[in-house]
Amino acid sequence: MDEHEVHRAKGQFKFGEFFSLINQVSPKYWLMSIGVLIGLVGTAINLVVPKIAANLINTFSKGIDYHLLLTVIILFILSSALSVVGGALLGFFGQDVVSKLRQKIWAQLMTLRVSYFDEVKAGEMSSRLVNDSSQVQELLASKIPSALSAILTVIGAVFMMFTMDWHMSLVVVASVPVAVVLLTPLMLYAGRLSRKRQDAIADFNGSASEVLGEIRLVKSSNAEKQATQSTNGVIGRLYQIGLRETVYDAAMGPIMMMIMMGMVFGLLAFGIYRVSHGAMTIGTLTSFLMYIFNLIGAVPMLGTVFSEMSKAAGATTRIREILREPQEDFTVGDSINVEGQTLRASHVDFGYTTEENILTDVSFEAKPNTVIAFAGPSGGGKSTIFSLVERFYEPTSGIISIGDRPLNQVNLASWRSQIGFVSQDSAILAGTIRDNLTFGLSGEYSDEQLWHVLSLAYAKTFVAEMPAQLETQVGERGIKVSGGQRQRLAIARAFLRDPKILMLDEATASLDSQSEAMVQKALESLMANRTTLVIAHRLSTIVGADQIYFIEHGRVSGFGTHQELMSNHPLYREYVQGQAINQ
């Protein structure tokens, strides 16, 4: 969908698309039906009250009819009670829908391909998850039922007025469209403002989440001013929209009051004229005024519904766009045991876009229980190879296989469950150490098992020294533990996972010498008797690998043992010499 089509879709509400989205979460329509029905009964009772009130007022000259007075009071109370019950049921229905819709959107986000997250900011996704789903709930559970009640009020009030005095009714019916025509441009303007505000909030969420997520980079780069200015631009856009909304809100009340009071004054004057000439009783005039106040409440409600429908059109479009995104398929393919099988890439090409290849004609082979090192200058494509092996992306051409089976024929969940990955900045989630060790794993793990893997990863000592030990909160992104500790926790998690294939992406690249030594010992223990792919920067790792593939400009320019490459690959020789000097 191009930009023009998206903006056009945001302004056009389509019931088919809206309810197609709602039906995906199997809503409890019976709850909505009961709520609407009770609300309509309450509205119908409310329409009867003015008619009875007219009879009550017309008999005042003969004394108060307490029976009629009690009837009016009871009907008022009953109408209000029914409205409360109907509104509560609709509220329950709306909460059920928005909860299920958010669950569906979240489940969809969790199964989208990695390429989607390369393009869309996390804050924008959060806005779709929270704000847009709330917009759908507001329309479905509040505005549409209110519109049905308003329609019944308009039709019922007009009908009752015509049965009482058709002359007066014609004046009322003629004045309502005038009020609607005057208010409609204001309602449409409110809808446009709301859509702009929703988009601006999504942009603000995305920008703020991005900056706050990398606040240490901001501070270490002295980029506070730059980050402030970039986000201030989005805040400025929200401010401009807020100013227009402020003017609108300030003007809308007085304008509506002026229109409605003008209408009421005109009708009241005409009614008094008819009463003075004996064409209408004072009770009928009072009844008319009650119906007019009902109309005053109902007609703007219909205008508000159209405004909300315009807002929901944009929310529906954005949510449907997320739900239409292609997912990773965890159901196809065979679940196989990859232990003892050779991992092989044959003539693989890949690019993040169609315009440029990141990898070209890449081939490698990792035999069981061997260490395969990928070396070469930064930006050559080494991490991209790892992404392809983990099946975050699919090769543009060529095949990656395990044994004699292409990876795309292997069940995705089964494949990833047999891979352990430790990167140079291993991810740690907010939560306890126990939560992080068992993240993504099924089943229960005893404290003994967790302490065992921590011991294997040389992490037992520092965890034991923490006040809450396994229940220690590590903070957002593991901020309460050091870089070396974070790496050792990631290695302990890999030990607990017990992978058949281990992938190490420069796992000691950003550590001090003491932490690096501890992590390296843990890695050597973890690598034992496993097929290991490693992006190497330490000279000892390169030298100790069974096979080395030198990657430059997205191509394998040479492969072999360390000695073979030293003798026949000049650039590799320079690279190793440079590493030796650095270390």
Side-chain angles (χ1 to χ4, degrees):
M1 184 179 291
D2 62 29
E3 186 176 349
H4 174 71
E5 289 175 321
V6 168
H7 284 289
R8 185 175 60 193
K10 286 181 180 180
Q12 296 177 344
F13 182 84
K14 298 179 180 178
F15 275 100
E17 290 186 359
F18 180 77
F19 282 101
S20 173
L21 173 64
I22 299 304
N23 287 335
Q24 292 185 44
V25 298
S26 303
K28 298 177 180 177
Y29 281 126
W30 63 268
L31 198 60
M32 179 183 182
S33 301
I34 295 174
V36 169
L37 181 61
I38 291 175
L40 291 179
V41 171
T43 301
I45 292 173
N46 201 38
L47 289 171
V48 176
V49 171
K51 178 73 172 176
I52 299 175
N55 295 331
L56 178 65
I57 293 171
N58 287 335
T59 59
F60 275 170
S61 59
K62 302 175 183 178
I64 299 175
D65 187 333
Y66 289 100
H67 175 73
L68 275 180
L69 179 60
L70 182 62
T71 301
V72 169
I73 294 173
I74 291 173
L75 289 177
F76 264 127
I77 295 173
L78 181 60
S79 174
S80 299
L82 290 173
S83 297
V84 170
V85 173
L89 290 176
L90 290 171
F92 297 155
F93 169 75
Q95 291 299 328
D96 177 68
V97 168
V98 76
S99 175
K100 290 179 178 177
L101 187 58
R102 284 172 178 165
Q103 289 175 12
K104 186 172 184 64
I105 296 170
W106 184 250
Q108 172 75 356
L109 289 172
M110 290 299 98
T111 56
L112 289 180
R113 296 173 180 174
V114 172
S115 55
Y116 177 81
F117 300 93
D118 294 339
E119 301 294 331
V120 182
K121 292 180 179 179
E124 290 183 33
M125 288 182 272
S126 298
S127 180
R128 304 297 167 245
L129 184 66
V130 178
N131 298 334
D132 287 344
S133 59
S134 296
Q135 199 75 64
V136 170
Q137 175 210 10
E138 176 70 13
L139 178 63
L140 184 66
S142 176
K143 300 305 179 183
I144 289 180
S146 296
L148 295 175
S149 178
I151 291 170
L152 178 61
T153 297
V154 171
I155 295 174
V158 171
F159 174 78
M160 296 296 286
M161 285 189 294
F162 266 100
T163 61
M164 296 168 67
D165 189 311
W166 68 269
H167 296 89
M168 187 76 171
S169 300
L170 284 177
V171 176
V172 173
V173 170
S175 63
V176 169
V178 174
V180 171
V181 168
L182 292 174
L183 291 174
T184 296
L186 295 174
M187 297 296 182
L188 294 176
Y189 180 70
R192 289 195 298 270
L193 268 184
S194 177
R195 291 195 302 276
K196 289 179 180 178
R197 177 169 51 82
Q198 288 285 98
D199 290 340
I201 288 173
D203 289 342
F204 179 54
N205 282 342
S207 178
S209 297
E210 185 176 45
V211 172
L212 294 175
E214 299 296 341
I215 192 64
R216 283 162 185 77
L217 173 63
V218 172
K219 292 189 174 298
S220 63
S221 304
N222 287 329
E224 290 91 346
K225 185 176 181 180
Q226 181 181 341
T228 301
Q229 289 174 344
S230 65
T231 306
N232 278 349
V234 184
I235 294 174
R237 183 181 165 203
L238 267 173
Y239 171 68
Q240 293 299 323
I241 294 171
L243 288 180
R244 283 185 277 176
E245 284 187 319
T246 299
V247 173
Y248 171 83
D249 291 339
M252 188 63 177
I255 290 174
M256 286 190 66
M257 181 63 69
M258 179 183 66
I259 293 172
M260 294 305 173
M261 291 304 296
M263 187 175 77
V264 170
F265 178 77
L267 293 172
L268 183 60
F270 182 66
I272 291 173
Y273 170 79
R274 287 182 60 74
V275 170
S276 65
H277 285 73
M280 176 186 285
T281 65
I282 190 66
T284 302
L285 178 59
T286 304
S287 180
F288 258 84
L289 289 175
M290 294 174 71
Y291 283 125
I292 288 169
F293 281 114
N294 281 337
L295 290 176
I296 288 174
V299 172
M301 178 60 68
L302 291 174
T304 302
V305 169
F306 287 111
S307 174
E308 290 295 327
M309 286 168 62
S310 183
K311 299 176 191 176
T316 302
T317 299
R318 291 185 289 262
I319 292 174
R320 283 168 60 88
E321 285 173 358
I322 290 178
L323 296 179
R324 281 198 299 261
E325 286 289 328
Q327 297 173 284
E328 293 182 319
D329 195 337
F330 293 93
T331 61
V332 300
D334 300 322
S335 297
I336 64 171
N337 187 348
V338 304
E339 188 172 10
Q341 300 199 51
T342 298
L343 176 66
R344 185 179 292 107
S346 302
H347 308 291
V348 168
D349 291 352
F350 174 75
Y352 293 104
T353 64
T354 56
E355 288 79 17
E356 181 184 9
N357 266 0
I358 302 299
L359 300 177
T360 304
D361 196 30
V362 169
S363 298
F364 65 85
E365 183 178 86
K367 293 181 179 179
N369 302 328
T370 60
V371 177
I372 304 301
F374 296 92
S378 297
K382 302 184 293 297
S383 294
T384 301
I385 292 174
F386 274 29
S387 293
L388 293 179
V389 172
E390 286 209 84
R391 294 179 63 185
F392 292 156
Y393 309 93
E394 293 294 328
T396 307
S397 63
I399 295 175
I400 302 177
S401 58
I402 184 73
D404 58 356
R405 191 185 299 261
L407 279 191
N408 57 17
Q409 294 180 14
V410 177
N411 180 270
L412 185 57
S414 171
W415 171 249
R416 287 181 181 164
S417 71
Q418 299 178 76
I419 294 177
F421 179 60
V422 181
S423 69
Q424 58 182 304
D425 186 21
S426 292
I428 295 291
L429 301 178
T432 66
I433 289 176
R434 183 192 302 276
D435 294 335
N436 276 279
L437 291 178
T438 59
F439 186 70
L441 299 175
S442 58
E444 298 293 327
Y445 293 88
S446 66
D447 286 4
E448 289 76 16
Q449 288 173 291
L450 300 184
W451 284 114
H452 177 64
V453 296
L454 287 169
S455 177
L456 293 174
Y458 296 92
K460 182 177 180 179
T461 301
F462 78 80
V463 173
E465 291 173 351
M466 292 179 170
Q469 298 188 343
L470 290 172
E471 305 306 325
T472 299
Q473 294 284 339
V474 298
E476 186 176 4
R477 304 178 74 179
I479 193 59
K480 293 183 179 179
V481 293
S482 70
Q485 290 172 337
R486 190 159 56 242
Q487 290 296 81
R488 280 178 276 167
L489 288 175
I491 293 168
R493 182 167 58 199
F495 268 118
L496 192 62
R497 195 177 183 90
D498 192 22
K500 307 297 190 304
I501 297 174
L502 180 63
M503 301 170 62
L504 308 175
D505 185 354
E506 298 184 317
T508 61
S510 57
L511 303 178
D512 58 73
S513 57
Q514 183 178 4
S515 297
E516 181 179 6
M518 295 292 290
V519 170
Q520 190 60 37
K521 287 171 65 178
L523 288 175
E524 288 169 359
S525 176
L526 180 60
M527 291 163 64
N529 300 317
R530 303 180 199 274
T531 302
T532 303
L533 308 181
V534 55
I535 294 177
H537 73 104
R538 296 181 78 257
L539 189 55
S540 62
T541 304
I542 299 173
V543 173
D546 297 294
Q547 193 80 302
I548 302 163
Y549 289 83
F550 196 77
I551 311 295
E552 51 179 320
H553 305 299
R555 296 176 181 270
V556 177
S557 62
F559 65 93
T561 64
H562 172 67
Q563 294 299 331
E564 289 171 347
L565 288 175
M566 286 294 287
S567 62
N568 61 29
H569 198 295
L571 188 57
Y572 175 80
R573 189 162 52 246
E574 291 179 19
Y575 177 81
V576 169
Q577 290 169 351
Q579 294 297 315
I581 292 172
N582 290 335
Q583 293 177 25

